[in-house]
Amino acid sequence: MLIILTGFMGVGKTTVGRILANKLGVPFVDMDYYIEARQGQTIAEIFDQIGESGFRLIEYQVLRELLEAEENGRMVISTGGGIVETTECRQLLVQQDQVFYLQDTFETSWQRINRGGLIQNDRPLVNANSKKQMAAKYERRIPLYEEASNYRLDVRRMAAHETAEVIRKMC
Ligand code: S3P
């Protein structure tokens, strides 16, 4: 059984994924952490060195690797918020049965990712874009998340453990 979580930055994919995997007793993979360990660099360093397009290529390769590895087991994967930017990733995701799009408001996501306007944010896109640009990205991605996932969960006012429980019951 493979459960994949998608959604915008700051929606809580990693927290929900960790709780869910724990409940199900299956491995949990957070794609950003996986990429950092695989590359020996932080996401910010990868963006610095090879840009967003280079990062997207790695992200695609990693998604493929994980889907191939999953054939032998069960897993919960939380993806990076921009995975749906890549056509090839969306094509891989639509072939899966349990892809959940976690959706909250842009304001809530922004409050979490902006971190009070820290100068060095560990999300390079937050450093490089204004709030208005991030809001536009959020809007532009909505149909992409919808295209790539089987279920959309409105997680406004839901605690991470509640979201995990809803998903567990659906699987
Ligand atoms: C990104 C989201 C991040 C990370 C990278 C790019 C995006 O993951 O992959 O900074 O384009 O939305 P999270 O959604 O886990 O923050």
Side-chain angles (χ1 to χ4, degrees), residues 1-15:
M1 172 241 314
L2 174 64
I3 298 174
I4 302 178
L5 306 181
T6 66
F8 201 68
M9 289 170 249
V11 75
K13 301 176 295 281
T14 303
T15 312

